[in-house]
Amino acid sequence: MTLVERASVCTLDCPDTCSLTVTVEDGRLVKVRGSKALPYTEGVICTKVAHHSEAFVHGPGRLTHPLRRTGERGSGKFARVSWDEALDLVHTRVAAVIDRYGPQAVMPLNYAGPHGMLNYDSMSLRFFHKLGATQLFRGALCGAVRSEAWFGSYGSAPGIGPEAAGEAALNVIWGNNATVSNLHLVRQARAAKRKGGRLAVIDPLRTKIATQADLHLAPLPGTDVVLGFALATELERLGAHDRDFIAAHVLGYDEYMAAARGWPLAKAAELCRVSADDIRTLARWMAEADPLVIAPGNGLERGLNGGSAVRVAIALPALMGKLDARSGIVLGSRFAFPKTADRLTRPDLIPPGTRTLNILDVGRHLETDELDPPLRAVFIYNHNPIVVHPDQARVQRGLKREDIFTVGIEIAMTESMHHCDVVLPAATHFECDDLYAAYGHHWLQRAEAALPPAGEALPNTEIFRRLAARFGFTDPCFNVSDRELMDDAIDNADPRMQGIKASEISPRAALRMMGPGGRPLALFDNVFPGTPSGKVELASGTLAKRWGESARLPSYRSRDHAKFPLALISPASDKRISSTLLGAGGTASEAPPLFMNPRDVEARLLNGAKRVRVWNDHGTVILPLKVTEAVAPGVVASEKGAWLATSPTGNTISALVSAELRADLAQGACFNDTAVEVEAA
């Protein structure tokens, strides 16, 4: 037996995108640990990846051969078939759909399983674009709200790299359960604290990082925009607005501040249910801090006012002129890389007039035939929609329809795969080559396969090459290699590539994107806002044009919580990444608990209860009860990403989330704006 160590990169949905060292024994992964190929992650990785990767690759749920469904949808009954048989069946059924309804009756249903640029969406989109399939707006599920907020404010320019947090006099971590979903930002913040810096956390839940903070503000979910306005007005009162910087580099200041002044400190504190003194303290610390780093997290966007919340958070450094090589906002990393998305995915292949659907509407579109043409063939890949979509019950009903042909491409037999007619086995990120442009830092990485694919599994790129060939697509773009796809993904001539082709980046040395002068990218140091005005746009004509005039400025929208008075939030888990790394799906004993404040427990006569019924008009979930002051009165929390098997009702908390309620930008999902009631189970 020979042990071999190989370099790799973590592909899972996390901003850190850690470099890895993988130990392989006789073609089997036996150990994963961090490497120093990426200096930012410093050889440290989360326990989830360290402890569960072997089961992820070799566990009992791993898919190793193509399968054809033989039982009822959802039964999990399949028969093994060859690749040729599987591809023939897919072609026959999809061709029949196209003959009857047209190509737009076919749709990809994918999101962000792997974050490598090739296996995420490269050859796959080339295939669907050539096919003429319905297009899918995926970002509404997560990511597009904060991306739009950033783009409307700063344009196509990156924020500061997270390394800056290690030197900050004040770090503000806002709406980010960073200890379990942004580990290396936490390490930087702790390093800054050891040097005398402060840490402030804004989060409705007293997360682990919040317990370590010098100041924790826990606003009522959905009120972060009001808190941000109050901070802006308090900074104005303190004389901390940098008038010279604003005059030179900020557009819409007067309009913005007119909106902010509508929320004076006392009024804002009452609505947010936070101490006015704490708001004053945080504003004073921000004014004093040099340098200052603000790190908004994904949780901030997942509500009715999500776009506004992100915008007010990222406006604060601009108001104070604290944007330079040392101060800034850890956001917008996608703009650090010279990506060439059109060359990679070939949208020029899309037939004119092809429709685009919002991913949040898929459950309704699958269940009903309101579309013309209706959906009759769906490809699920890089995604577990039954677990992660809002309005979970409707998604389940839609996927149970026998008249919709469903193809699954997956690593493991998820509950979504149980509903597919054909399942094609995909390679894990340890088993294929890929290119990684992180969404949380400015380092570009390349990974090579560390071990052969299990059984007959194939990389996504090869699966879609074979599908393209079976459908008769002869365009040269369907025959390029993965190394060629890497070079299609990036502008290798861009100075940030430092003369290195994407396909030739060493797997043992990440490439940092640098600005002119060889310094790390930083706003108002070596990059500037990519907005139409070239300024920070606090009032955004771009957002008004894209999402309606109401999006010109951030604003607060209230909701009626009279019927369901508790606000449910769904933070990240320390046991899985979304629904990944949960082994075979879990059991009822592994259901994440509902965190509930003692006052709310007492008011509902739940003292001593072990399990509770969490419900609203969308569904019911049974969860273990954990009584804790980590959540404020009026707020309950339960971790996202649990599989259906963990619930006796056959639903998880995604069943409680409305697919109709949308954020103020990008029609985004409102996972953290879910109103519920709780009673004894």
Side-chain angles (χ1 to χ4, degrees), residues 143-210:
V145 174
R146 66 181 181 276
S147 293
E148 286 293 293
W150 178 266
F151 186 77
S153 303
Y154 290 91
S156 56
I160 203 164
E163 294 90 344
E167 303 296 329
L170 173 64
N171 278 296
V172 181
I173 296 178
W174 198 332
N176 186 350
N177 190 7
T179 311
V180 301
S181 61
N182 205 172
L183 173 62
H184 296 88
L185 178 67
V186 173
R187 287 169 55 81
Q188 295 290 336
R190 287 174 180 164
K193 278 176 66 68
R194 289 193 294 270
K195 299 169 188 174
R198 290 172 169 146
L199 171 63
V201 171
I202 305 174
D203 199 299
L205 178 66
R206 192 173 68 232
T207 59
K208 186 174 180 180
I209 188 63

Side-chain angles (χ1 to χ4, degrees), residues 540-560:
S540 173
T542 297
L543 294 180
K545 185 180 298 184
R546 289 158 80 118
W547 305 108
E549 186 58 32
S550 63
R552 178 176 175 80
L553 288 165
S555 62
Y556 172 72
R557 295 183 293 169
S558 62
R559 287 186 63 201
D560 181 6

Side-chain angles (χ1 to χ4, degrees), residues 307-330:
S308 293
V310 176
R311 291 172 73 184
V312 297
I314 64 179
L316 294 168
L319 295 175
M320 295 181 285
K322 295 189 177 186
L323 293 166
D324 53 37
R326 300 166 66 236
S327 292
I329 308 149
V330 181

Side-chain angles (χ1 to χ4, degrees), residues 19-366:
S19 62
L20 305 174
T21 295
V22 177
T23 303
V24 178
E25 182 179 38
D26 296 333
R28 185 180 179 91
L29 183 149
V30 295
K31 185 177 182 180
V32 175
R33 65 183 193 277
S35 83
K36 295 193 176 181
L38 174 59
Y40 170 59
T41 57
E42 299 182 301
V44 176
I45 61 173
C46 68
T47 57
K48 291 176 282 194
V49 170
H51 292 168
H52 299 298
S53 289
E54 183 179 0
F56 174 67
V57 176
H58 304 294
R62 180 69 198 274
L63 293 166
T64 57
H65 302 91
L67 302 171
R68 174 178 56 83
R69 181 170 62 88
T70 59
E72 293 183 357
R73 286 188 185 270
S75 67
K77 294 180 179 180
F78 292 87
R80 177 176 170 177
V81 295
S82 69
W83 268 103
D84 285 343
E85 288 175 297
L87 294 175
D88 285 347
L89 178 56
V90 171
H91 176 258
T92 299
R93 293 289 301 272
V94 173
V97 167
I98 293 173
D99 286 345
R100 179 172 180 182
Y101 297 100
Q104 292 190 83
V106 184
M107 186 188 73
L109 178 52
N110 65 304
Y111 186 62
H115 269 60
M117 296 180 73
L118 273 59
N119 286 285
Y120 177 85
D121 248 340
S122 59
M123 193 62 71
S124 53
L125 283 190
R126 292 183 182 190
F127 171 77
F128 289 113
H129 291 165
K130 177 70 174 180
L131 190 70
T134 287
Q135 299 294 294
L136 188 66
F137 175 49
R138 300 162 182 82
L141 190 65
C142 180
V145 174
R146 66 181 181 276
S147 293
E148 286 293 293
W150 178 266
F151 186 77
S153 303
Y154 290 91
S156 56
I160 203 164
E163 294 90 344
E167 303 296 329
L170 173 64
N171 278 296
V172 181
I173 296 178
W174 198 332
N176 186 350
N177 190 7
T179 311
V180 301
S181 61
N182 205 172
L183 173 62
H184 296 88
L185 178 67
V186 173
R187 287 169 55 81
Q188 295 290 336
R190 287 174 180 164
K193 278 176 66 68
R194 289 193 294 270
K195 299 169 188 174
R198 290 172 169 146
L199 171 63
V201 171
I202 305 174
D203 199 299
L205 178 66
R206 192 173 68 232
T207 59
K208 186 174 180 180
I209 188 63
T211 66
Q212 300 166 353
D214 300 288
L215 181 65
H216 173 214
L217 279 71
L220 187 69
T223 65
D224 297 83
V225 57
V226 172
L227 175 59
F229 277 155
L231 287 167
T233 58
E234 182 63 11
L235 287 167
E236 182 182 38
R237 187 189 69 80
L238 293 171
H241 287 195
D242 187 328
R243 301 291 175 174
D244 292 339
F245 182 89
I246 290 168
H249 300 298
V250 175
L251 182 72
Y253 172 79
D254 290 336
E255 292 177 78
Y256 182 87
M257 287 308 300
R261 292 184 197 112
W263 291 98
L265 193 145
K267 179 182 176 183
E270 181 179 7
L271 178 69
C272 297
R273 300 185 190 173
V274 299
S275 161
D277 286 341
D278 284 348
I279 300 176
R280 291 189 189 95
T281 297
L282 181 55
R284 177 170 53 82
W285 286 3
M286 286 181 169
E288 296 169 350
D290 183 23
L292 166 69
V293 172
I294 296 181
N298 297 359
L300 196 56
E301 73 169 42
R302 294 174 179 158
L304 193 67
N305 303 308
S308 293
V310 176
R311 291 172 73 184
V312 297
I314 64 179
L316 294 168
L319 295 175
M320 295 181 285
K322 295 189 177 186
L323 293 166
D324 53 37
R326 300 166 66 236
S327 292
I329 308 149
V330 181
L331 204 63
S333 291
R334 58 181 287 220
F335 296 114
F337 305 95
K339 297 180 182 179
T340 47
D342 286 358
R343 201 166 68 193
L344 180 64
T345 64
R346 296 296 304 273
D348 57 294
L349 298 172
I350 302 173
T354 300
R355 69 188 178 193
T356 298
L357 302 180
N358 188 318
I359 194 170
L360 301 182
D361 293 326
V362 165
R364 186 177 80 248
H365 295 324
L366 289 173

